[in-house]
């Protein structure tokens, strides 16, 4: 990374005399002769203002410079006024810098004249400006370099060359985000990304009303079939005919109703931007993954309009479908999880896991200094009582499923079904809340199950912030505190309310909720204060720590960007398994026994009807190690094969279920029930030796 001119360089003893003394005035026009002069720094004669800045030549001094080559040189600074020398860089300083650079070799082309140094103090590399551009080095005109992204519009992206052209034409006073027109935040980030923004008036300032459209929001519906009878330019805010712009480029739009958007907060991308976001090689491979309970491809959720095969529904009915976790919703959340999974590298990291101590095994593995969340995770099961140190290949999804069960039942959370963070001083001291958030993030990205145990209050705190979240009485797991709130809410007179204040005086003083009661309506404010303290303020430190852990692999940011999609997998358990779901989930290997497959379908129906001692979840655990289908589906895809054996075999490493070949269905069912029930019982007994963590 190279940095711009920031301080004066040291003077050299052997000065390079370009020409005898002459006036400093530069000729603003290019050389009129036949010879095309070269830049004294990079030795190139290219004249490309977008790449190298303006090319300045002074015939009397026989000196030509690219403005960016000069600006980025490490040993020179702007000591003159703007009209002196070259934009304030004095001629004698330029001569000294040329002398200094003549002794430095470019680490790319190996030629001398490399005047630009790396921003890292210990790094001794030097560059020519064009050589650095060729190797995609980042040249900073101010500040430090950060990730290339729009700071004001999430997911908006820009071509670097396009931005540089816009910055040169617009100048500092008109250079702004083309999506939302923000200038202050946008300019600071563009400077950090290496875009030069000249301090000048825009090139169109002399033209009346030129480029006026740059200051206007795009308002046109561009979907293939616009449903608005008033036309594509019709825009009514706060209605279904409000026009939503593409969140990436801002140059395409859609009516909310034309793309089945339920609210303005939902994100929408135009087809061109979706092609860039989703048509990469990795995403094409992801289409081959089997998704839960659906035979529709991933790309269906990227269409601008609903599939014509689906029945028309009112917005209310569509929202109910989302809440019931319909198949379209699962495709949406699957796509988001798969996108997060693009970060996973092929390099593998093996975790040694003791099934009897899942929590501590995972904690040790994730805290190891060699562990990287973006590496592919491989699981090896070990038994601490096995003195021979044997390892057994394990299923990653089974491990993550067991880990999430441990997390849900850990003392880090409180509540029955919908849980909030607890206040555990020992866990806080050991930084376990951070580790819990990190575990959850890693589990989601690497194909783990839906958490499904968050309260709406905890989820809303993560998405919208604690200050914007109002807890409810169900969030209070402490019976005594809940009774205090109930008694205050049901107080019939001011006297009763003051009596309660006297009764709970010490507690209210301790939590900072004492208040003067002047009317009966004050009870609601008092009850609310207690509720906010107990559910939110009391666990502020655990929450911040947990939130930081959840930032791992960009998971928290994804949740905050798509809260509706993530709410169901965080706050609701997956839907119950059915015969159709499981029969669609498992693919059948070729040359399988037809009769055994018929028995398999009959067995699934018997289990669903309650005519078996096992459940649908037991079957899935037996074959895959998971009690539910992960949001992104299984990898590899669950499969069935038929073998000449008496009992079924579940290979959780490959998600393969081997069915027995029997002569009668009765024998088939008895053998399936016996093997599944006893296998799961033995595994449960083995895992129960370690209680708590």
């Amino acid at each position: 990374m190279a940095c711009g001119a920031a301080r004066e360089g040291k003077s050299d003893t052997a000065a390079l005399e370009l020409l005898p003394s002459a006036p400093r005035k530069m000729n603003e026009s290019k050389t009129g002769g036949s010879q095309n002069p070269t830049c004294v720094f990079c030795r190139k004669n290219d004249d490309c203002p977008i790449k190298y800045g303006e090319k300045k030549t002074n015939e009397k001094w026989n000196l030509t410079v690219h403005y960016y080559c000069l600006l980025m040189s490490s040993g020179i600074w702007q000591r003159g006024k703007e009209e002196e020398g070259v934009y304030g860089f004095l001629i004698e300083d330029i001569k000294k810098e040329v002398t200094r650079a003549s002794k430095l070799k470019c680490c790319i082309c190996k030629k001398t004249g490399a005047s630009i140094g790396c921003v890292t103090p210990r790094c001794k590399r030097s560059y020519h400006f064009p050589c650095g551009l060729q190797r995609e080095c980042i040249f900073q005109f101010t500040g430090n370099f950060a990730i290339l992204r729009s700071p004001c519009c999430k997911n908006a992206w820009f071509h670097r060359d396009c931005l540089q052209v816009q910055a040169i034409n617009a100048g500092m006073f008109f250079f702004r985000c083309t999506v939302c027109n923000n200038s202050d935040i946008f300019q600071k980030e563009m400077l950090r990304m290496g875009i030069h923004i000249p301090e000048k008036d825009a090139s169109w300032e002399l033209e009346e009303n030129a480029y006026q459209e740059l200051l206007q929001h795009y308002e046109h519906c561009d979907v293939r079939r616009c449903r608005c009878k008033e036309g594509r330019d019709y825009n009514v805010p706060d209605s279904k005919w409000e026009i939503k712009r593409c969140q990436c480029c801002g140059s395409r739009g859609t009516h909310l109703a034309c793309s089945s958007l339920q609210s303005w907060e939902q994100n929408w991308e135009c087809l061109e931007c979706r092609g860039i976001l989703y048509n990469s090689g990795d995403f094409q491979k992801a289409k081959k993954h089997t998704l839960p309970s659906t035979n529709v491809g991933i790309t269906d959720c990227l269409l601008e309009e609903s599939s014509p095969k689906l029945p028309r529904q009112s917005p209310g009915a569509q929202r109910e479908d989302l809440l019931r976790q319909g198949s379209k919703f699962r495709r949406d959340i699957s796509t988001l999880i798969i996108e997060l999974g693009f970060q996973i590298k092929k390099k593998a990291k093996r975790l040694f896991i003791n099934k009897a101590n899942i929590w501590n095994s995972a904690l040790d593995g994730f805290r190891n200094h060699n562990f990287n969340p973006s590496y592919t995770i491989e699981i090896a099961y070990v038994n601490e009582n096995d003195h021979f140190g044997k390892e057994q290949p394990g299923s990653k999804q089974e491990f993550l499923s067991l880990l999430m069960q441990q997390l849900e039942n850990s003392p880090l959370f409180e509540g029955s079904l919908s849980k909030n963070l607890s206040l555990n001083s020992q866990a806080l001291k050991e930084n376990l809340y951070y580790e819990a958030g990190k575990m959850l993030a890693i589990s989601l990205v690497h194909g783990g199950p839906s958490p499904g145990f968050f309260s709406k209050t905890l989820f809303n705190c993560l998405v919208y912030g604690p200050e914007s979240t109002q807890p409810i009485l169900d969030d209070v797991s402490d019976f005594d505190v809940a009774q205090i709130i109930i008694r205050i809410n049901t107080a019939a007179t001011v006297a009763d309310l003051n009596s309660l204040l006297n009764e709970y005086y010490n507690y209210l003083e301790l939590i900072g909720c004492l208040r003067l009661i002047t009317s009966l309506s004050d009870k609601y404010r008092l009850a609310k204060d207690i509720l906010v303290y107990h559910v939110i303020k009391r666990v502020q430190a655990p929450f911040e720590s947990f939130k930081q852990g959840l930032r791992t692999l960009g998971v928290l940011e994804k949740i905050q960007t798509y809260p509706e999609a993530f709410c169901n997998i965080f706050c609701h358990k997956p839907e119950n398994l059915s015969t159709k779901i499981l029969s669609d989930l498992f693919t059948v290997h070729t040359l399988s026994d037809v009769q055994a497959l018929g028995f398999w379908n009959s067995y699934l129906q018997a289990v669903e009807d309650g005519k078996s001692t096992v459940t649908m979840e037991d079957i899935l655990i037996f074959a895959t190690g998971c009690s539910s289908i992960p949001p992104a589906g299984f990898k590899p895809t669950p499969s069935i094969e038929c073998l000449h054996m008496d009992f079924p075999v579940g290979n959780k490493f490959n998600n393969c279920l081997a069915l027995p070949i029997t002569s009668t269905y009765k024998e088939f069912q008895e053998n399936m029930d016996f093997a599944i029930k006893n296998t799961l019982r033995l595994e449960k007994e083995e895992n129960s030796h370690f209680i708590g963590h």
Side-chain angles (χ1 to χ4, degrees):
M1 188 185 299
C3 64
R7 55 187 174 83
E8 186 176 12
K10 297 179 180 179
S11 60
D12 296 291
T13 53
L16 176 63
E17 293 294 335
L18 299 175
L19 275 179
S21 297
R24 299 182 197 170
K25 185 177 180 181
M26 296 287 292
N27 183 357
E28 296 296 328
S29 62
K30 301 178 182 65
T31 306
S34 58
Q35 185 179 6
N36 191 3
T38 60
C39 172
V40 294
F41 289 108
C42 69
R43 317 285 174 82
K44 289 183 177 292
N45 57 12
D46 302 54
D47 189 359
C48 183
I50 294 175
K51 283 188 175 181
Y52 311 132
E54 294 180 81
K55 186 178 179 182
K56 296 288 186 177
T57 299
N58 186 293
E59 295 179 357
K60 292 184 179 180
W61 282 100
N62 191 24
L63 182 144
T64 298
V65 293
H66 290 126
Y67 180 48
Y68 292 170
C69 291
L70 174 63
L71 192 64
M72 296 305 302
S73 294
S74 301
I76 188 172
W77 65 314
Q78 192 179 25
R79 295 195 301 126
K81 297 181 180 179
E82 193 69 21
E83 63 274 9
E84 291 185 272
V86 182
Y87 293 123
F89 290 94
L90 303 181
I91 298 300
E92 55 264 35
D93 292 340
I94 297 176
K95 291 165 60 178
K96 289 181 180 180
E97 182 63 3
V98 171
T99 301
R100 186 187 71 86
S102 66
K103 302 174 183 178
L104 301 174
K105 284 188 178 182
C106 174
C107 66
I108 297 174
C109 71
K110 309 303 180 184
K111 296 180 180 179
T112 58
S115 60
I116 304 172
C118 179
V119 72
T120 304
R122 294 182 180 180
C123 181
K124 303 303 180 184
R125 294 179 180 177
S126 297
Y127 304 85
H128 293 118
F129 186 82
C131 294
L133 285 183
Q134 185 180 2
R135 290 292 180 90
E136 298 182 350
C137 292
I138 299 299
F139 293 96
Q140 301 169 321
F141 292 94
T142 185
N144 296 320
F145 176 69
I147 296 174
L148 180 59
R149 61 173 299 174
S150 173
C152 44
C153 297
K154 287 188 176 181
N155 298 328
W157 57 272
F158 306 93
H159 293 129
R160 180 178 294 276
D161 291 345
C162 295
L163 277 176
Q164 188 60 77
V165 172
Q166 182 192 356
I168 291 174
N169 287 323
M172 184 173 292
F173 302 106
F174 285 90
F175 183 53
R176 60 192 66 204
C177 175
T178 56
V179 179
C180 69
N181 283 332
N182 179 282
S183 59
D184 294 338
I185 299 175
F186 184 75
Q187 283 193 19
K188 289 178 182 178
E189 186 67 12
M190 294 305 105
L191 286 170
R192 283 160 54 87
M193 293 193 296
I195 301 300
H196 173 58
I197 309 174
E199 189 173 353
K200 67 173 188 177
D201 288 334
S203 59
W204 59 81
E205 273 293 281
L206 299 179
E207 302 179 32
E208 187 176 357
N209 295 326
Y211 301 99
Q212 188 66 25
E213 64 274 9
L214 290 177
L215 304 179
Q216 300 175 356
H217 290 310
Y218 186 84
E219 294 183 354
H220 184 78
C221 181
D222 296 293
V223 299
R224 184 162 49 90
R225 283 182 288 181
C226 178
R227 301 172 182 173
C228 182
K229 295 181 180 179
E230 302 296 330
R232 292 182 177 270
D233 295 325
Y234 187 67
N235 181 31
V236 180
D238 300 323
S239 75
K240 65 179 181 179
W241 302 121
E242 183 172 8
I243 291 179
K244 171 82 174 177
R245 296 184 303 279
C246 172
Q247 65 167 337
C248 294
C249 68
S251 59
R252 292 290 185 272
T254 177
H255 290 115
L256 298 183
C258 295
S259 292
S260 301
L261 300 177
Q262 301 302 312
S263 68
W264 176 264
E265 285 74 21
Q266 285 183 261
N267 292 305
W268 178 83
E269 303 97 8
C270 64
L271 289 176
E272 289 83 355
C273 291
R274 286 176 189 170
I276 295 172
L277 290 173
Y278 300 113
N279 288 341
S280 64
D282 288 336
F283 191 82
Q284 293 295 335
K285 294 177 182 177
K287 291 180 181 178
K288 298 179 181 179
H289 296 177
T290 298
L291 299 177
S293 306
T294 178
N295 56 2
V296 185
I298 294 174
T299 51
D300 289 355
C301 67
L302 307 177
L303 297 176
E304 294 180 356
E305 301 175 289
S306 301
S307 170
K309 297 180 181 180
L310 298 176
R312 289 183 177 271
Q313 294 178 312
S314 66
Q318 290 176 350
R319 183 170 181 82
E320 289 299 316
D321 279 354
L322 288 180
L323 295 177
R324 287 194 300 268
Q325 195 175 358
S327 60
K328 183 178 186 300
F329 171 81
R330 286 198 301 275
R331 290 200 303 275
D332 289 343
I333 191 63
S334 298
T335 303
L336 297 174
I337 299 295
I338 289 172
E339 288 174 6
L340 286 169
F342 291 163
Q343 304 172 77
I344 300 176
K345 301 176 175 63
K346 292 183 179 179
K347 185 174 181 179
K349 171 62 178 178
R350 176 168 292 186
L351 298 180
F352 298 95
I353 302 298
N354 179 6
K355 268 194 176 182
N357 195 343
I358 289 285
W359 175 267
N360 284 334
S361 297
L363 203 58
D364 291 342
F366 291 162
R367 282 177 167 175
N368 189 294
H369 70 279
N370 291 323
F371 178 77
N372 187 324
S374 63
Y375 288 172
T376 298
I377 293 177
E378 293 181 352
I379 300 299
Y381 286 132
V382 295
N383 188 338
E384 59 185 13
N385 296 323
D386 185 356
H387 302 292
F388 295 99
K390 294 181 180 178
E391 300 174 11
Q392 179 183 355
S395 163
K396 177 181 67 176
Q397 288 181 310
E398 178 192 29
F399 158 68
L400 294 175
S401 181
L402 294 173
L403 181 60
M404 288 302 102
Q405 292 175 26
Q406 291 273 330
L407 183 62
E408 179 179 357
N409 298 317
S410 73
L412 303 178
F413 295 90
E414 60 184 22
S416 53
L417 297 178
S418 298
K419 296 177 180 287
N420 290 289
L421 289 172
S422 66
L423 180 58
N424 187 307
S425 58
Q426 186 61 30
L428 195 60
K429 182 179 179 180
E430 297 176 8
N431 205 25
L432 293 184
Y433 289 99
Y434 171 84
E435 297 296 340
K438 179 180 175 182
M439 286 178 181
L440 205 157
I442 291 173
S443 175
L444 276 179
V445 177
H446 286 266
S450 303
F453 62 88
F454 278 40
S455 71
K456 285 288 185 64
T457 298
L458 176 55
F459 183 80
N460 288 339
C461 284
L462 290 170
V463 175
Y464 308 110
E467 66 283 352
S468 302
T469 302
Q470 178 58 49
I472 60 176
L473 186 60
D474 288 345
D475 292 320
V476 180
S477 60
D478 188 308
F479 178 80
D480 293 332
V481 175
Q483 287 301 305
I484 293 174
I485 296 173
I486 292 173
R487 291 185 66 187
I488 290 175
N489 269 328
T490 55
T493 65
V494 173
D496 292 341
L497 194 54
N498 279 314
S499 176
L500 290 173
L501 254 66
N502 290 330
E503 183 178 350
Y504 300 120
Y505 183 90
N506 292 335
Y507 170 72
L508 295 176
E509 184 182 39
L510 179 66
I511 66 175
C513 291
L514 272 179
R515 60 171 49 250
L516 180 65
I517 300 299
T518 59
S519 67
L520 187 59
S521 60
D522 289 340
K523 67 180 183 178
Y524 301 114
R525 182 64 183 271
L526 177 59
K528 180 181 177 181
D529 289 347
I530 299 172
L531 198 57
V532 170
Y533 167 80
H534 187 81
V535 179
I536 294 180
K537 291 184 178 180
R538 183 175 63 98
V539 294
Q540 184 175 357
F543 174 78
E544 290 300 326
S545 183
F546 180 75
K547 184 178 174 182
Q548 290 303 316
L550 201 55
R551 293 184 186 278
T552 303
L553 295 172
V555 170
L556 179 61
E557 183 181 20
K558 202 77 166 178
I559 295 170
Q560 292 172 338
T561 305
Y562 302 96
E564 291 185 4
F566 280 92
C567 180
N568 243 17
I569 68 169
F570 272 83
C571 301
H572 301 282
K573 292 295 183 181
E575 62 181 333
N576 293 330
L577 298 173
S578 65
T579 297
K580 185 178 186 311
I581 290 175
L582 281 191
S583 74
D584 289 344
L585 179 65
F586 285 89
T587 59
V588 180
H589 283 179
T590 57
L591 303 178
S592 291
D593 186 272
V594 176
Q595 180 173 272
L597 293 178
F599 289 167
W600 160 250
N601 292 325
S602 299
Y603 180 69
L604 289 179
Q605 192 61 55
V607 172
E608 186 175 11
D609 294 340
K611 299 177 181 179
S612 170
T613 56
V614 303
T615 65
M616 290 289 187
E617 287 71 23
D618 291 339
I619 297 174
L620 191 61
I621 295 173
F622 181 77
T624 67
C626 304
S627 60
S628 63
I629 302 173
F634 284 103
K635 186 178 181 181
T637 302
S639 60
I640 286 177
E641 59 183 357
C642 302
L643 300 179
H644 290 280
M645 56 177 60
D646 293 330
F647 296 97
V649 176
N651 186 341
K652 298 173 183 177
F653 185 75
N654 294 319
N655 296 327
C656 181
L657 175 60
L659 300 176
I661 297 179
T662 60
S663 56
T664 65
Y665 171 73
K666 181 181 179 182
E667 184 183 1
F668 180 90
Q669 178 173 345
E670 289 176 350
N671 291 355
M672 291 287 291
D673 286 351
F674 178 83
I676 294 175
K677 183 172 62 175
N678 284 281
T679 299
L680 298 185
R681 179 180 58 81
L682 290 173
E683 290 180 351
K684 187 175 182 179
E685 289 176 356
E686 290 176 2
N687 297 341
S688 65
H689 289 307
F690 179 78
I691 302 175
H693 48 267

